Amino acid sequence: MLYHSTQDKSKSVSSAQAIAQGISKDGGLFVPESFPKLSLVDLDTMLSKSYQQRAKYIIGQFLTDFSQKEISDCVDNAYTVEKFGGDNPAPISTVTFNGDEVNLLELWHGPTCAFKDMALQILPHFLTKSLQKVGGGKDAVILVATSGDTGKAALEGFRDVDHTKIIVFYPVNGVSAMQKHQMNTQEGDNVYVCAINGNFDDAQTAVKKIFTDPETAAILDENGMMFSSANSINWGRLLPQIVYYISAYCDMVNLGKVKLGEKINITVPTGNFGNILAAYYAFEMGLPVNKFICASNSNNVLTDFINTGVYDKNREFYTTVSPSMDILVSSNLERLLFIMSGENDAETKGYMDALKSEGRYEVSATIKEKISAMFYGGFADEQTTEKTIHDLYAQEHYLCDTHTAVAVAVCDEYIKKTGDKTPVVIASTASPYKFSKAVLSAVDGGKLPESEFDMVEKLNELTGAPVPAPLASLRGKKSRFFDVTDKEGMQAVVLGALGIDK
Ligand SMILES: *Cc1c(COP(=O)(O)O)cnc(C)c1O
């Protein structure tokens, strides 16, 4: 299996190269040249298997330059009971919301309490092995732009991993108090965290620029280093995410929610379009899916895109209670456009160039039709998000976080609007305790305690929902990182953190 760029199909690389490099030199994203197909027999075989066994099988289809033993090692080291609190790292909880049954795929039982752990606990293992194959003895410098959850999950995944250094940039006023505290208290000798004056899109754009700048690459090269990415532009992030949708389908069959071969709907709270794209890739492999429900918050650029075919980032940016979705440039949409254009690299590049120069593009009528056939786009504003947390708790005593609430709300709107009763899986993406302020005010509405950890405690007393140990243990922990930079200063910060004088 080889990989090529969404903006230039002419050259192909191995999976190790795609993972080590993160992004293609032409600025495009690496995609597999074809999708291995899962038959119903394959799915049937997986029904009786563990999550880890399913993961090994699926990952093995894509990383054909890795040995089975290498893949086994990666999976066994990533998805342990200690790290994910159970044999199944991604369990399903079924609830009834406003009269309709929905299945919440809980992806936040890992060490940093967000779904990013599902990929970032295994990516360092993929990367270490990839570097052995193609790294030429260089150390990898992982540059991360985060809207809150990727940063912490990447820091935790890469801390003290040999031959890697990790540098994380987050928007100074764009993450929750808990997210900030999680990152600033990060331990490890190879980690560095810095806030930026700007939003996530500013951070992501600047990181991509540093990343593809030949001059910076040359400086790193002289110092025995190379850049890599832990953002969802890296193929090694998306692949582990495909696994949990296929595994969830098997669990749905085992739970008696669907018969093997019957379709499901999948709802995903979406920001950078990585998580929902992974679900779509599972469908490309043969997973029986009827509709993908793409749920946005007030930054509803994707809702408009799905409904009109026009992607326009020239709009107001909102800071919301679901900060990990406060994004106007959804990087991974590029990979969907590539597929929907019939793998047309020139057309994909055209859209991306227009996005860069005009902040806007309009896709062809064919692409628009193909997308509306499979995707429903909707959004939940702040009030709806809070009401959903409140109502779900009132109806089911189930506490969900702000991002998951956006998905539950949009899914509910979809069911009520269309009458589509296809069994639905909703990606539940974070622990409610990462966003205690918003969640507590949604369920209680009374006066909020002042400190973050007093809010955590109050939410716990009120609801009885257990506080994840990795968050509870952060109380009173001292920060290690305090730096804030402007966008223009990020490159200097990177070189400084690496101990390179220029
Ligand atoms: C990152 C994140 C999202 C958005 O996922 P994308 O892959 O960026 O679309 C949603 N919810 C939470 C909690 C997240 O951390």
Side-chain angles (χ1 to χ4, degrees):
M1 164 86 57
L2 291 172
Y3 295 77
H4 53 206
S5 163
T6 48
Q7 297 190 26
D8 178 5
K9 285 198 297 192
S10 66
K11 288 181 236 68
S12 298
V13 301
S14 66
S15 71
Q17 185 69 35
I19 290 169
Q21 211 172 305
I23 189 168
S24 178
K25 289 204 176 80
D26 52 58
L29 307 182
F30 286 119
V31 287
E33 285 187 348
S34 63
F35 282 89
K37 297 293 173 209
L38 282 177
S39 64
L40 287 184
V41 177
D42 296 328
L43 281 174
D44 194 24
T45 312
M46 269 193 268
L47 293 181
S48 61
K49 300 278 186 343
S50 67
Y51 186 91
Q52 291 75 3
Q53 288 169 315
R54 293 169 186 164
K56 288 174 195 178
Y57 177 73
I58 297 158
I59 292 168
Q61 306 281 305
F62 286 96
L63 305 189
T64 49
D65 50 337
F66 284 54
S67 69
Q68 265 308 320
K69 163 133 191 3
E70 286 176 319
I71 290 169
S72 264
D73 285 350
C74 291
V75 169
D76 290 338
N77 286 311
Y79 303 116
T80 63
V81 178
E82 297 75 52
K83 284 178 181 160
F84 284 86
D87 286 329
N88 185 351
I92 288 176
S93 283
T94 303
V95 295
T96 299
F97 182 69
N98 292 348
D100 289 301
E101 185 179 282
V102 296
N103 302 283
L104 294 162
L105 174 61
E106 295 178 355
L107 300 169
W108 42 265
H109 293 285
T112 76
C113 311
F115 87 88
K116 307 294 199 294
D117 288 325
M118 297 299 297
L120 282 160
Q121 280 299 312
I122 196 164
L123 180 66
H125 300 290
F126 287 160
L127 185 68
T128 308
K129 290 185 166 51
S130 298
L131 287 173
Q132 285 163 5
K133 294 176 197 294
V134 300
K138 280 186 227 155
D139 287 357
V141 177
I142 320 292
L143 275 194
V144 182
T146 185
S147 56
D149 289 325
T150 295
K152 177 62 184 179
L155 288 161
E156 200 51 46
F158 279 99
R159 73 188 254 193
D160 295 327
V161 171
D162 284 347
H163 300 295
T164 67
K165 290 198 167 64
I166 171 160
I167 302 172
V168 171
F169 293 100
Y170 70 87
V172 68
N173 294 319
V175 301
S176 79
M178 183 65 89
Q179 288 176 317
K180 194 178 278 195
H181 190 57
Q182 280 186 296
M183 289 188 276
N184 285 338
T185 55
Q186 178 65 43
E187 292 172 17
D189 289 335
N190 63 338
V191 304
Y192 181 77
V193 177
C194 184
I196 73 148
N197 292 313
N199 59 37
F200 170 76
D201 291 317
D202 297 323
Q204 173 158 266
T205 306
V207 159
K208 261 197 185 171
K209 203 163 142 206
I210 298 174
F211 221 80
T212 44
D213 172 36
E215 204 183 309
T216 317
I219 298 172
L220 255 70
D221 191 58
E222 283 162 27
N223 287 275
M225 303 177 201
M226 65 183 273
F227 280 132
S228 188
S229 169
N231 279 103
S232 54
I233 52 173
N234 193 319
W235 172 246
R237 270 281 301 272
L238 288 177
L239 176 55
Q241 296 181 225
I242 298 174
V243 173
Y244 52 69
Y245 289 109
I246 296 172
S247 184
Y249 184 86
C250 294
D251 292 345
M252 288 283 283
V253 174
N254 287 339
L255 290 165
K257 305 283 179 197
V258 282
K259 289 201 196 65
L260 186 67
E262 269 177 13
K263 290 179 178 175
I264 58 169
N265 285 344
I266 297 179
T267 305
V268 185
T270 303
N272 221 0
F273 210 77
N275 203 7
I276 194 166
L277 180 77
Y280 186 80
Y281 279 171
F283 165 73
E284 282 282 314
M285 293 178 71
L287 196 73
V289 181
N290 171 53
K291 267 284 184 217
F292 295 94
I293 298 155
C294 176
S296 301
N297 65 21
S298 300
N299 294 295
N300 56 358
V301 60
L302 285 167
T303 313
D304 289 347
F305 172 68
I306 291 168
N307 291 322
T308 66
V310 176
Y311 193 98
D312 191 350
K313 70 159 188 161
N314 303 308
R315 58 175 72 212
E316 198 175 333
F317 178 90
Y318 299 100
T319 301
T320 72
V321 290
S322 46
S324 302
M325 291 152 62
D326 290 347
I327 294 176
L328 292 180
V329 183
S330 302
S331 293
N332 273 298
L333 190 59
E334 178 173 345
R335 286 180 161 118
L336 185 72
L337 297 181
F338 182 73
I339 293 193
M340 295 300 196
S341 65
E343 309 219 325
N344 187 328
D345 50 359
E347 186 176 350
T348 308
K349 181 170 161 41
Y351 297 138
M352 292 304 113
D353 287 348
L355 184 63
K356 237 180 256 162
S357 57
E358 320 286 328
R360 174 186 193 282
Y361 58 83
E362 177 164 11
V363 292
S364 70
T366 319
I367 294 186
K368 180 175 181 284
E369 267 166 44
K370 281 190 191 168
I371 290 179
S372 4
M374 284 312 295
F375 287 82
Y376 173 88
F379 77 101
D381 62 17
E382 298 289 271
Q383 213 185 342
T384 308
T385 306
E386 290 194 14
K387 183 170 169 11
T388 304
I389 296 171
H390 177 273
D391 292 355
L392 181 57
Y393 185 72
Q395 292 170 24
E396 292 278 16
H397 275 251
Y398 184 93
L399 200 59
C400 78
D401 93 290
T402 47
H403 306 74
T404 306
V406 166
V408 171
V410 173
C411 185
D412 187 50
E413 168 198 291
Y414 170 81
I415 295 170
K416 303 293 186 288
K417 211 186 252 180
T418 61
D420 181 358
K421 298 284 182 185
T422 306
V424 63
V425 168
I426 299 179
S428 171
T429 50
S431 158
Y433 287 103
K434 286 193 99 163
F435 309 94
S436 296
K437 186 173 176 189
V439 173
L440 179 59
S441 76
V443 287
D444 185 35
K447 193 173 173 304
L448 294 175
E450 282 206 354
S451 96
E452 178 69 13
F453 285 94
D454 288 343
M455 288 189 239
V456 167
E457 200 175 296
K458 179 151 183 214
L459 192 55
N460 171 254
E461 278 166 9
L462 204 66
T463 65
V467 184
L471 299 183
S473 69
L474 290 180
R475 184 165 207 156
K477 196 160 176 179
K478 292 248 170 349
S479 287
R480 295 179 63 201
F481 300 101
F482 305 92
D483 294 347
V484 186
T485 181
D486 288 333
K487 287 179 271 184
E488 297 72 27
M490 284 169 63
Q491 193 214 25
V493 167
V494 168
L495 295 180
L498 296 174
I500 298 173
D501 295 326
K502 211 193 127 199

